[in-house]
Amino acid sequence: MHRSGLPQTGRLHRTGSIKDEVKQEIWQALVQAVDLIVSLDTEVVQISLRSLYISAASIVIAALFCVPIGSLIHFHDFRGKRAVINVIQTFYSLPTVVVGLLVFLFISRSGPLGGLELLFTPAAIIIGQVILIMPMLTGMTIGALSGVDKTIRDTALSCGAGTAQAIRAILFEARFAVVGVLILGFGRAISEVGAALMLGGNIRGYTRVLTTAISLETQRGDLVLSLALGIILIGIAMVVSVIMNILLQRY
Amino acid sequence: MAFLQTVDIEQRAGASVLLNRVNLSVEKGEIFTVIGPTGAGKTTLLRLINLLDRPSAGDIYFDGEKITGPSGNAVQVRRRMAMVFQKPAVFNSTVYENVAYPLKVRGCHGKTARSTVYNLLDTIGLGGYARRKAKTLSGGEAQRVALARAVVSKPDLLLLDEPTANLDPGTVKMIERLVMDFNRERGLTVIMSTHDMQQAQRVAGRVGVLMKGQLVQVGQPGDVFFSPDNARIAGFVGMRNLLRGNIVRNESGIAVVDVDGKDIEAVSDLPPGSTVEIYIWPEEVVLSKLASDSSARNNLHCMIRSLSSNGPLCTVIVDCGFTLEVLITDRSAVELELSQGQEMYASFKASAVRVLPSMQG
């Protein structure tokens, strides 16, 4: 990592009060962080893009499964529907390390999918993140659809819509809420560290993402880089949310 | 068989009966109005016809075919109908997309579809609104969009469920005119529900009265409003001077009814001993200072309880053993120098009294 130009901010010098020292370091770190971002530091850009790509892939794959599954559950009445929804909601708070562990067991060399050699690849992180956000996406899709006024279904049907067309009309009506769900899912994916670390291995230039990098650099004492990456992480979340909102305003 | 016919349809929700053996028949090209108080089952009936719900029992025939039951193709049937709901429901998209939706689901795109929609927007007076978000429209505008959306696919049957409830008088008039225009120009068959009697009178060719899930009377608006079949309908259509009494004798069609000790002569064939409800048209009662009107069968001594003028007419409440509401012109009230507490005579012909068999017996 390109760090030659950075001050060794991590080591605490035992001169003056420790409090002042920390305060000064944080300030320095902020300045340096902005500098790193503005100057488009190659390593920082690469890590950011990788994070973005992995989480975007996770959310797209998860959405492809979860929006239809959520719709299916919402539009069908069956016994135990309430229980199914409750179980799904319970898994909203699935711990990332548990997901990491389970996927690890499956794709490690001795696991059932060991032959695919997925462990410590970006694909492994994607698998973990998809599993992580699926319950949330499915459950909240159901919630979004429940929020649509019941008269919309009747209106669509009496306008001559078939069942599939009526479902599409209701989904369209719920589009703001569904996109909100996707943004939330994306946020959970890009901000999690457990699965990314356990399944990706934080390999520099290959599976190192924003969260794993922050975790590592903080441990190593490089607060500047950590903070810079943290600011980028928050920035990405903000930009995604703003872009989605602008797109929605138009349609 | 009529264009639309319901045969003994029933709808139950748990223990309560929403519709009880309703037999409705509507002819092609007519405007049929279903009137009834809130909760009578009007919405339930229209939803069944539109196949949005399934009846608990009975069948519905549309254009000669049975549309209820497993054999029917609900989507194909619905595509020949359209429904406007009481609460204006618009999709969260533009006005244009709302009106074009029925064409879209039928696979109609392109130039003809576009010009159909634009023409219709002009007709409903929302020509410049195509790109507006439908959610930003007022209630009246949204309901006009719903009406345009209903007729854009040129349905054979239009169902309107209290389409003008809670709208301002101007919009009500406009929607009524549009419905009547569509009916006349396209021969569109219309079934409309309303709880507004005057609206039914303005719009309808025929009226059906729905009360507590039962279709209790069907006829021309005049028949229903001026000769209701029973006291309950009379009360609902706003009849005043509903009194209860017993027929004491009947001489060749002129019955003498005992109402609170007063004898009232009325045209009726009901035999002596029947308990009846009688209704006296308020505008048929004449007030005078002297009991000398020879043409009137009924001459009752009375005292004026209250007077209230409403424009050209004046409502006078008099006490003649029972309370009677009298409607006279404001001018004659002034000429007669009517005042509260004054003693007068109320006279009316035997034919101004409608006698209905009592509901409670």
Side-chain angles (χ1 to χ4, degrees), chain A residues 30-64:
Chain A
L30 270 172
V31 173
Q32 296 285 337
V34 172
D35 187 50
L36 269 177
I37 297 164
V38 173
S39 66
L40 294 175
D41 180 273
T42 329
E43 180 101 32
V44 170
V45 168
Q46 266 185 10
I47 294 176
S48 306
L49 287 179
R50 192 175 301 120
S51 251
L52 208 57
Y53 149 72
I54 287 177
S55 301
S58 303
I59 194 75
V60 168
I61 293 168
L64 285 177

PDB file of all heavy atoms in Angstrom, chain A residues 30-64:
ATOM      1  N   LEU A  30      -8.154  13.444   9.302  1.00  0.00           N
ATOM      2  CA  LEU A  30      -9.223  13.985   8.466  1.00  0.00           C
ATOM      3  C   LEU A  30      -8.658  14.729   7.266  1.00  0.00           C
ATOM      4  O   LEU A  30      -9.095  14.544   6.135  1.00  0.00           O
ATOM      5  CB  LEU A  30     -10.106  14.924   9.299  1.00  0.00           C
ATOM      6  CG  LEU A  30     -11.281  14.257  10.003  1.00  0.00           C
ATOM      7  CD1 LEU A  30     -11.948  15.235  10.949  1.00  0.00           C
ATOM      8  CD2 LEU A  30     -12.273  13.725   8.987  1.00  0.00           C
ATOM      9  N   VAL A  31      -7.660  15.572   7.553  1.00  0.00           N
ATOM     10  CA  VAL A  31      -7.030  16.342   6.478  1.00  0.00           C
ATOM     11  C   VAL A  31      -6.425  15.396   5.448  1.00  0.00           C
ATOM     12  O   VAL A  31      -6.643  15.531   4.235  1.00  0.00           O
ATOM     13  CB  VAL A  31      -5.953  17.287   7.047  1.00  0.00           C
ATOM     14  CG1 VAL A  31      -5.176  17.964   5.906  1.00  0.00           C
ATOM     15  CG2 VAL A  31      -6.576  18.314   7.963  1.00  0.00           C
ATOM     16  N   GLN A  32      -5.696  14.408   5.954  1.00  0.00           N
ATOM     17  CA  GLN A  32      -5.044  13.457   5.061  1.00  0.00           C
ATOM     18  C   GLN A  32      -6.079  12.639   4.272  1.00  0.00           C
ATOM     19  O   GLN A  32      -5.873  12.317   3.098  1.00  0.00           O
ATOM     20  CB  GLN A  32      -4.165  12.507   5.862  1.00  0.00           C
ATOM     21  CG  GLN A  32      -3.000  13.183   6.569  1.00  0.00           C
ATOM     22  CD  GLN A  32      -1.882  13.572   5.595  1.00  0.00           C
ATOM     23  OE1 GLN A  32      -1.757  12.995   4.523  1.00  0.00           O
ATOM     24  NE2 GLN A  32      -1.091  14.559   5.976  1.00  0.00           N
ATOM     25  N   ALA A  33      -7.157  12.317   4.959  1.00  0.00           N
ATOM     26  CA  ALA A  33      -8.187  11.521   4.303  1.00  0.00           C
ATOM     27  C   ALA A  33      -8.762  12.262   3.110  1.00  0.00           C
ATOM     28  O   ALA A  33      -8.884  11.709   2.011  1.00  0.00           O
ATOM     29  CB  ALA A  33      -9.299  11.205   5.296  1.00  0.00           C
ATOM     30  N   VAL A  34      -9.067  13.530   3.326  1.00  0.00           N
ATOM     31  CA  VAL A  34      -9.607  14.341   2.234  1.00  0.00           C
ATOM     32  C   VAL A  34      -8.579  14.409   1.112  1.00  0.00           C
ATOM     33  O   VAL A  34      -8.924  14.274  -0.080  1.00  0.00           O
ATOM     34  CB  VAL A  34      -9.970  15.755   2.738  1.00  0.00           C
ATOM     35  CG1 VAL A  34     -10.339  16.654   1.571  1.00  0.00           C
ATOM     36  CG2 VAL A  34     -11.107  15.676   3.742  1.00  0.00           C
ATOM     37  N   ASP A  35      -7.315  14.551   1.485  1.00  0.00           N
ATOM     38  CA  ASP A  35      -6.242  14.614   0.488  1.00  0.00           C
ATOM     39  C   ASP A  35      -6.186  13.330  -0.335  1.00  0.00           C
ATOM     40  O   ASP A  35      -6.083  13.363  -1.557  1.00  0.00           O
ATOM     41  CB  ASP A  35      -4.918  14.868   1.203  1.00  0.00           C
ATOM     42  CG  ASP A  35      -3.791  15.113   0.204  1.00  0.00           C
ATOM     43  OD1 ASP A  35      -3.999  15.955  -0.696  1.00  0.00           O
ATOM     44  OD2 ASP A  35      -2.759  14.431   0.293  1.00  0.00           O
ATOM     45  N   LEU A  36      -6.299  12.194   0.361  1.00  0.00           N
ATOM     46  CA  LEU A  36      -6.256  10.890  -0.319  1.00  0.00           C
ATOM     47  C   LEU A  36      -7.407  10.745  -1.315  1.00  0.00           C
ATOM     48  O   LEU A  36      -7.227  10.213  -2.415  1.00  0.00           O
ATOM     49  CB  LEU A  36      -6.364   9.768   0.707  1.00  0.00           C
ATOM     50  CG  LEU A  36      -5.068   9.221   1.293  1.00  0.00           C
ATOM     51  CD1 LEU A  36      -5.383   8.176   2.349  1.00  0.00           C
ATOM     52  CD2 LEU A  36      -4.215   8.629   0.197  1.00  0.00           C
ATOM     53  N   ILE A  37      -8.534  11.231  -0.909  1.00  0.00           N
ATOM     54  CA  ILE A  37      -9.710  11.101  -1.777  1.00  0.00           C
ATOM     55  C   ILE A  37      -9.589  12.032  -2.978  1.00  0.00           C
ATOM     56  O   ILE A  37      -9.799  11.626  -4.127  1.00  0.00           O
ATOM     57  CB  ILE A  37     -11.001  11.416  -0.996  1.00  0.00           C
ATOM     58  CG1 ILE A  37     -11.182  10.401   0.144  1.00  0.00           C
ATOM     59  CG2 ILE A  37     -12.210  11.395  -1.894  1.00  0.00           C
ATOM     60  CD1 ILE A  37     -12.182  10.824   1.185  1.00  0.00           C
ATOM     61  N   VAL A  38      -9.208  13.286  -2.688  1.00  0.00           N
ATOM     62  CA  VAL A  38      -9.136  14.285  -3.761  1.00  0.00           C
ATOM     63  C   VAL A  38      -8.067  13.913  -4.773  1.00  0.00           C
ATOM     64  O   VAL A  38      -8.265  14.044  -5.986  1.00  0.00           O
ATOM     65  CB  VAL A  38      -8.880  15.695  -3.163  1.00  0.00           C
ATOM     66  CG1 VAL A  38      -8.638  16.708  -4.280  1.00  0.00           C
ATOM     67  CG2 VAL A  38     -10.064  16.126  -2.320  1.00  0.00           C
ATOM     68  N   SER A  39      -6.956  13.372  -4.267  1.00  0.00           N
ATOM     69  CA  SER A  39      -5.863  13.049  -5.185  1.00  0.00           C
ATOM     70  C   SER A  39      -6.064  11.698  -5.871  1.00  0.00           C
ATOM     71  O   SER A  39      -5.216  11.257  -6.647  1.00  0.00           O
ATOM     72  CB  SER A  39      -4.535  13.046  -4.424  1.00  0.00           C
ATOM     73  OG  SER A  39      -4.564  11.987  -3.489  1.00  0.00           O
ATOM     74  N   LEU A  40      -7.209  11.043  -5.607  1.00  0.00           N
ATOM     75  CA  LEU A  40      -7.528   9.756  -6.221  1.00  0.00           C
ATOM     76  C   LEU A  40      -6.382   8.756  -6.088  1.00  0.00           C
ATOM     77  O   LEU A  40      -5.898   8.190  -7.072  1.00  0.00           O
ATOM     78  CB  LEU A  40      -7.892   9.944  -7.697  1.00  0.00           C
ATOM     79  CG  LEU A  40      -9.176  10.718  -7.974  1.00  0.00           C
ATOM     80  CD1 LEU A  40      -9.364  10.938  -9.470  1.00  0.00           C
ATOM     81  CD2 LEU A  40     -10.392  10.007  -7.399  1.00  0.00           C
ATOM     82  N   ASP A  41      -5.972   8.532  -4.869  1.00  0.00           N
ATOM     83  CA  ASP A  41      -4.944   7.550  -4.564  1.00  0.00           C
ATOM     84  C   ASP A  41      -5.318   6.194  -5.167  1.00  0.00           C
ATOM     85  O   ASP A  41      -6.423   5.699  -4.955  1.00  0.00           O
ATOM     86  CB  ASP A  41      -4.821   7.438  -3.037  1.00  0.00           C
ATOM     87  CG  ASP A  41      -3.766   6.429  -2.629  1.00  0.00           C
ATOM     88  OD1 ASP A  41      -4.111   5.224  -2.528  1.00  0.00           O
ATOM     89  OD2 ASP A  41      -2.627   6.860  -2.426  1.00  0.00           O
ATOM     90  N   THR A  42      -4.401   5.624  -5.943  1.00  0.00           N
ATOM     91  CA  THR A  42      -4.718   4.417  -6.711  1.00  0.00           C
ATOM     92  C   THR A  42      -5.261   3.289  -5.844  1.00  0.00           C
ATOM     93  O   THR A  42      -6.281   2.686  -6.171  1.00  0.00           O
ATOM     94  CB  THR A  42      -3.456   3.889  -7.433  1.00  0.00           C
ATOM     95  OG1 THR A  42      -2.637   4.997  -7.736  1.00  0.00           O
ATOM     96  CG2 THR A  42      -3.822   3.135  -8.676  1.00  0.00           C
ATOM     97  N   GLU A  43      -4.591   3.039  -4.755  1.00  0.00           N
ATOM     98  CA  GLU A  43      -5.007   1.931  -3.889  1.00  0.00           C
ATOM     99  C   GLU A  43      -6.407   2.185  -3.319  1.00  0.00           C
ATOM    100  O   GLU A  43      -7.258   1.295  -3.323  1.00  0.00           O
ATOM    101  CB  GLU A  43      -3.996   1.786  -2.735  1.00  0.00           C
ATOM    102  CG  GLU A  43      -4.345   0.657  -1.782  1.00  0.00           C
ATOM    103  CD  GLU A  43      -3.494  -0.580  -2.046  1.00  0.00           C
ATOM    104  OE1 GLU A  43      -2.346  -0.399  -2.464  1.00  0.00           O
ATOM    105  OE2 GLU A  43      -3.994  -1.704  -1.830  1.00  0.00           O
ATOM    106  N   VAL A  44      -6.623   3.412  -2.877  1.00  0.00           N
ATOM    107  CA  VAL A  44      -7.925   3.760  -2.307  1.00  0.00           C
ATOM    108  C   VAL A  44      -9.026   3.604  -3.352  1.00  0.00           C
ATOM    109  O   VAL A  44     -10.081   3.035  -3.085  1.00  0.00           O
ATOM    110  CB  VAL A  44      -7.896   5.204  -1.750  1.00  0.00           C
ATOM    111  CG1 VAL A  44      -9.297   5.665  -1.371  1.00  0.00           C
ATOM    112  CG2 VAL A  44      -6.972   5.289  -0.550  1.00  0.00           C
ATOM    113  N   VAL A  45      -8.752   4.084  -4.558  1.00  0.00           N
ATOM    114  CA  VAL A  45      -9.752   3.974  -5.631  1.00  0.00           C
ATOM    115  C   VAL A  45     -10.057   2.517  -5.921  1.00  0.00           C
ATOM    116  O   VAL A  45     -11.223   2.113  -6.059  1.00  0.00           O
ATOM    117  CB  VAL A  45      -9.262   4.704  -6.905  1.00  0.00           C
ATOM    118  CG1 VAL A  45     -10.150   4.358  -8.098  1.00  0.00           C
ATOM    119  CG2 VAL A  45      -9.239   6.205  -6.673  1.00  0.00           C
ATOM    120  N   GLN A  46      -8.985   1.708  -5.977  1.00  0.00           N
ATOM    121  CA  GLN A  46      -9.187   0.281  -6.281  1.00  0.00           C
ATOM    122  C   GLN A  46     -10.041  -0.408  -5.222  1.00  0.00           C
ATOM    123  O   GLN A  46     -10.977  -1.145  -5.554  1.00  0.00           O
ATOM    124  CB  GLN A  46      -7.821  -0.417  -6.355  1.00  0.00           C
ATOM    125  CG  GLN A  46      -7.284  -0.478  -7.758  1.00  0.00           C
ATOM    126  CD  GLN A  46      -6.001  -1.277  -7.820  1.00  0.00           C
ATOM    127  OE1 GLN A  46      -5.609  -1.928  -6.846  1.00  0.00           O
ATOM    128  NE2 GLN A  46      -5.330  -1.218  -8.957  1.00  0.00           N
ATOM    129  N   ILE A  47      -9.718  -0.149  -3.965  1.00  0.00           N
ATOM    130  CA  ILE A  47     -10.482  -0.780  -2.880  1.00  0.00           C
ATOM    131  C   ILE A  47     -11.951  -0.350  -2.939  1.00  0.00           C
ATOM    132  O   ILE A  47     -12.865  -1.162  -2.802  1.00  0.00           O
ATOM    133  CB  ILE A  47      -9.871  -0.422  -1.502  1.00  0.00           C
ATOM    134  CG1 ILE A  47      -8.479  -1.033  -1.381  1.00  0.00           C
ATOM    135  CG2 ILE A  47     -10.764  -0.902  -0.372  1.00  0.00           C
ATOM    136  CD1 ILE A  47      -7.766  -0.662  -0.094  1.00  0.00           C
ATOM    137  N   SER A  48     -12.147   0.930  -3.188  1.00  0.00           N
ATOM    138  CA  SER A  48     -13.518   1.447  -3.240  1.00  0.00           C
ATOM    139  C   SER A  48     -14.306   0.798  -4.360  1.00  0.00           C
ATOM    140  O   SER A  48     -15.453   0.364  -4.173  1.00  0.00           O
ATOM    141  CB  SER A  48     -13.508   2.963  -3.442  1.00  0.00           C
ATOM    142  OG  SER A  48     -12.714   3.569  -2.469  1.00  0.00           O
ATOM    143  N   LEU A  49     -13.689   0.740  -5.552  1.00  0.00           N
ATOM    144  CA  LEU A  49     -14.386   0.156  -6.698  1.00  0.00           C
ATOM    145  C   LEU A  49     -14.712  -1.309  -6.437  1.00  0.00           C
ATOM    146  O   LEU A  49     -15.789  -1.794  -6.796  1.00  0.00           O
ATOM    147  CB  LEU A  49     -13.541   0.293  -7.966  1.00  0.00           C
ATOM    148  CG  LEU A  49     -13.467   1.712  -8.535  1.00  0.00           C
ATOM    149  CD1 LEU A  49     -12.576   1.749  -9.777  1.00  0.00           C
ATOM    150  CD2 LEU A  49     -14.862   2.224  -8.878  1.00  0.00           C
ATOM    151  N   ARG A  50     -13.756  -2.018  -5.789  1.00  0.00           N
ATOM    152  CA  ARG A  50     -13.988  -3.443  -5.504  1.00  0.00           C
ATOM    153  C   ARG A  50     -15.174  -3.605  -4.551  1.00  0.00           C
ATOM    154  O   ARG A  50     -16.047  -4.454  -4.757  1.00  0.00           O
ATOM    155  CB  ARG A  50     -12.728  -4.069  -4.918  1.00  0.00           C
ATOM    156  CG  ARG A  50     -12.799  -5.590  -4.862  1.00  0.00           C
ATOM    157  CD  ARG A  50     -11.494  -6.189  -4.391  1.00  0.00           C
ATOM    158  NE  ARG A  50     -10.381  -5.831  -5.258  1.00  0.00           N
ATOM    159  CZ  ARG A  50      -9.306  -5.161  -4.855  1.00  0.00           C
ATOM    160  NH1 ARG A  50      -9.204  -4.794  -3.575  1.00  0.00           N
ATOM    161  NH2 ARG A  50      -8.359  -4.858  -5.689  1.00  0.00           N
ATOM    162  N   SER A  51     -15.211  -2.758  -3.540  1.00  0.00           N
ATOM    163  CA  SER A  51     -16.328  -2.803  -2.592  1.00  0.00           C
ATOM    164  C   SER A  51     -17.652  -2.578  -3.296  1.00  0.00           C
ATOM    165  O   SER A  51     -18.625  -3.299  -3.103  1.00  0.00           O
ATOM    166  CB  SER A  51     -16.154  -1.690  -1.546  1.00  0.00           C
ATOM    167  OG  SER A  51     -15.828  -2.225  -0.306  1.00  0.00           O
ATOM    168  N   LEU A  52     -17.632  -1.541  -4.127  1.00  0.00           N
ATOM    169  CA  LEU A  52     -18.832  -1.168  -4.866  1.00  0.00           C
ATOM    170  C   LEU A  52     -19.298  -2.325  -5.747  1.00  0.00           C
ATOM    171  O   LEU A  52     -20.478  -2.692  -5.761  1.00  0.00           O
ATOM    172  CB  LEU A  52     -18.487   0.052  -5.728  1.00  0.00           C
ATOM    173  CG  LEU A  52     -19.593   1.022  -6.072  1.00  0.00           C
ATOM    174  CD1 LEU A  52     -20.249   1.552  -4.819  1.00  0.00           C
ATOM    175  CD2 LEU A  52     -19.011   2.182  -6.888  1.00  0.00           C
ATOM    176  N   TYR A  53     -18.347  -2.911  -6.454  1.00  0.00           N
ATOM    177  CA  TYR A  53     -18.669  -3.990  -7.397  1.00  0.00           C
ATOM    178  C   TYR A  53     -19.224  -5.211  -6.667  1.00  0.00           C
ATOM    179  O   TYR A  53     -20.239  -5.787  -7.059  1.00  0.00           O
ATOM    180  CB  TYR A  53     -17.414  -4.315  -8.216  1.00  0.00           C
ATOM    181  CG  TYR A  53     -17.304  -5.748  -8.656  1.00  0.00           C
ATOM    182  CD1 TYR A  53     -18.130  -6.256  -9.663  1.00  0.00           C
ATOM    183  CD2 TYR A  53     -16.362  -6.606  -8.078  1.00  0.00           C
ATOM    184  CE1 TYR A  53     -18.026  -7.569 -10.059  1.00  0.00           C
ATOM    185  CE2 TYR A  53     -16.257  -7.921  -8.461  1.00  0.00           C
ATOM    186  CZ  TYR A  53     -17.105  -8.410  -9.452  1.00  0.00           C
ATOM    187  OH  TYR A  53     -17.013  -9.713  -9.837  1.00  0.00           O
ATOM    188  N   ILE A  54     -18.555  -5.592  -5.574  1.00  0.00           N
ATOM    189  CA  ILE A  54     -18.986  -6.792  -4.838  1.00  0.00           C
ATOM    190  C   ILE A  54     -20.385  -6.590  -4.240  1.00  0.00           C
ATOM    191  O   ILE A  54     -21.265  -7.449  -4.382  1.00  0.00           O
ATOM    192  CB  ILE A  54     -17.953  -7.156  -3.752  1.00  0.00           C
ATOM    193  CG1 ILE A  54     -16.703  -7.731  -4.418  1.00  0.00           C
ATOM    194  CG2 ILE A  54     -18.547  -8.151  -2.746  1.00  0.00           C
ATOM    195  CD1 ILE A  54     -15.578  -8.056  -3.457  1.00  0.00           C
ATOM    196  N   SER A  55     -20.600  -5.450  -3.628  1.00  0.00           N
ATOM    197  CA  SER A  55     -21.900  -5.224  -2.988  1.00  0.00           C
ATOM    198  C   SER A  55     -23.003  -5.032  -4.014  1.00  0.00           C
ATOM    199  O   SER A  55     -24.143  -5.464  -3.811  1.00  0.00           O
ATOM    200  CB  SER A  55     -21.838  -4.016  -2.062  1.00  0.00           C
ATOM    201  OG  SER A  55     -20.867  -4.231  -1.079  1.00  0.00           O
ATOM    202  N   ALA A  56     -22.673  -4.372  -5.141  1.00  0.00           N
ATOM    203  CA  ALA A  56     -23.664  -4.193  -6.198  1.00  0.00           C
ATOM    204  C   ALA A  56     -24.070  -5.556  -6.751  1.00  0.00           C
ATOM    205  O   ALA A  56     -25.260  -5.834  -6.948  1.00  0.00           O
ATOM    206  CB  ALA A  56     -23.120  -3.299  -7.301  1.00  0.00           C
ATOM    207  N   ALA A  57     -23.060  -6.419  -6.974  1.00  0.00           N
ATOM    208  CA  ALA A  57     -23.359  -7.761  -7.481  1.00  0.00           C
ATOM    209  C   ALA A  57     -24.246  -8.503  -6.477  1.00  0.00           C
ATOM    210  O   ALA A  57     -25.231  -9.154  -6.857  1.00  0.00           O
ATOM    211  CB  ALA A  57     -22.066  -8.532  -7.715  1.00  0.00           C
ATOM    212  N   SER A  58     -23.923  -8.362  -5.192  1.00  0.00           N
ATOM    213  CA  SER A  58     -24.713  -9.052  -4.162  1.00  0.00           C
ATOM    214  C   SER A  58     -26.165  -8.591  -4.187  1.00  0.00           C
ATOM    215  O   SER A  58     -27.092  -9.403  -4.146  1.00  0.00           O
ATOM    216  CB  SER A  58     -24.145  -8.765  -2.773  1.00  0.00           C
ATOM    217  OG  SER A  58     -22.800  -9.139  -2.716  1.00  0.00           O
ATOM    218  N   ILE A  59     -26.355  -7.278  -4.268  1.00  0.00           N
ATOM    219  CA  ILE A  59     -27.720  -6.767  -4.188  1.00  0.00           C
ATOM    220  C   ILE A  59     -28.510  -7.148  -5.435  1.00  0.00           C
ATOM    221  O   ILE A  59     -29.691  -7.486  -5.356  1.00  0.00           O
ATOM    222  CB  ILE A  59     -27.745  -5.231  -3.930  1.00  0.00           C
ATOM    223  CG1 ILE A  59     -29.136  -4.769  -3.513  1.00  0.00           C
ATOM    224  CG2 ILE A  59     -27.329  -4.426  -5.131  1.00  0.00           C
ATOM    225  CD1 ILE A  59     -29.469  -5.145  -2.118  1.00  0.00           C
ATOM    226  N   VAL A  60     -27.862  -7.133  -6.593  1.00  0.00           N
ATOM    227  CA  VAL A  60     -28.566  -7.503  -7.828  1.00  0.00           C
ATOM    228  C   VAL A  60     -28.993  -8.961  -7.757  1.00  0.00           C
ATOM    229  O   VAL A  60     -30.152  -9.310  -8.026  1.00  0.00           O
ATOM    230  CB  VAL A  60     -27.685  -7.236  -9.069  1.00  0.00           C
ATOM    231  CG1 VAL A  60     -28.292  -7.895 -10.304  1.00  0.00           C
ATOM    232  CG2 VAL A  60     -27.520  -5.742  -9.292  1.00  0.00           C
ATOM    233  N   ILE A  61     -28.047  -9.836  -7.374  1.00  0.00           N
ATOM    234  CA  ILE A  61     -28.375 -11.270  -7.309  1.00  0.00           C
ATOM    235  C   ILE A  61     -29.470 -11.514  -6.263  1.00  0.00           C
ATOM    236  O   ILE A  61     -30.456 -12.213  -6.516  1.00  0.00           O
ATOM    237  CB  ILE A  61     -27.110 -12.094  -6.984  1.00  0.00           C
ATOM    238  CG1 ILE A  61     -26.122 -12.010  -8.156  1.00  0.00           C
ATOM    239  CG2 ILE A  61     -27.479 -13.556  -6.706  1.00  0.00           C
ATOM    240  CD1 ILE A  61     -24.740 -12.526  -7.837  1.00  0.00           C
ATOM    241  N   ALA A  62     -29.310 -10.888  -5.102  1.00  0.00           N
ATOM    242  CA  ALA A  62     -30.301 -11.088  -4.036  1.00  0.00           C
ATOM    243  C   ALA A  62     -31.674 -10.577  -4.471  1.00  0.00           C
ATOM    244  O   ALA A  62     -32.696 -11.222  -4.229  1.00  0.00           O
ATOM    245  CB  ALA A  62     -29.857 -10.387  -2.758  1.00  0.00           C
ATOM    246  N   ALA A  63     -31.698  -9.419  -5.149  1.00  0.00           N
ATOM    247  CA  ALA A  63     -32.970  -8.841  -5.588  1.00  0.00           C
ATOM    248  C   ALA A  63     -33.668  -9.760  -6.588  1.00  0.00           C
ATOM    249  O   ALA A  63     -34.884  -9.919  -6.549  1.00  0.00           O
ATOM    250  CB  ALA A  63     -32.750  -7.459  -6.183  1.00  0.00           C
ATOM    251  N   LEU A  64     -32.874 -10.368  -7.465  1.00  0.00           N
ATOM    252  CA  LEU A  64     -33.455 -11.262  -8.475  1.00  0.00           C
ATOM    253  C   LEU A  64     -34.206 -12.425  -7.818  1.00  0.00           C
ATOM    254  O   LEU A  64     -35.196 -12.915  -8.347  1.00  0.00           O
ATOM    255  CB  LEU A  64     -32.363 -11.814  -9.396  1.00  0.00           C
ATOM    256  CG  LEU A  64     -31.816 -10.819 -10.424  1.00  0.00           C
ATOM    257  CD1 LEU A  64     -30.692 -11.431 -11.229  1.00  0.00           C
ATOM    258  CD2 LEU A  64     -32.940 -10.361 -11.353  1.00  0.00           C
TER     259      LEU A  64
END
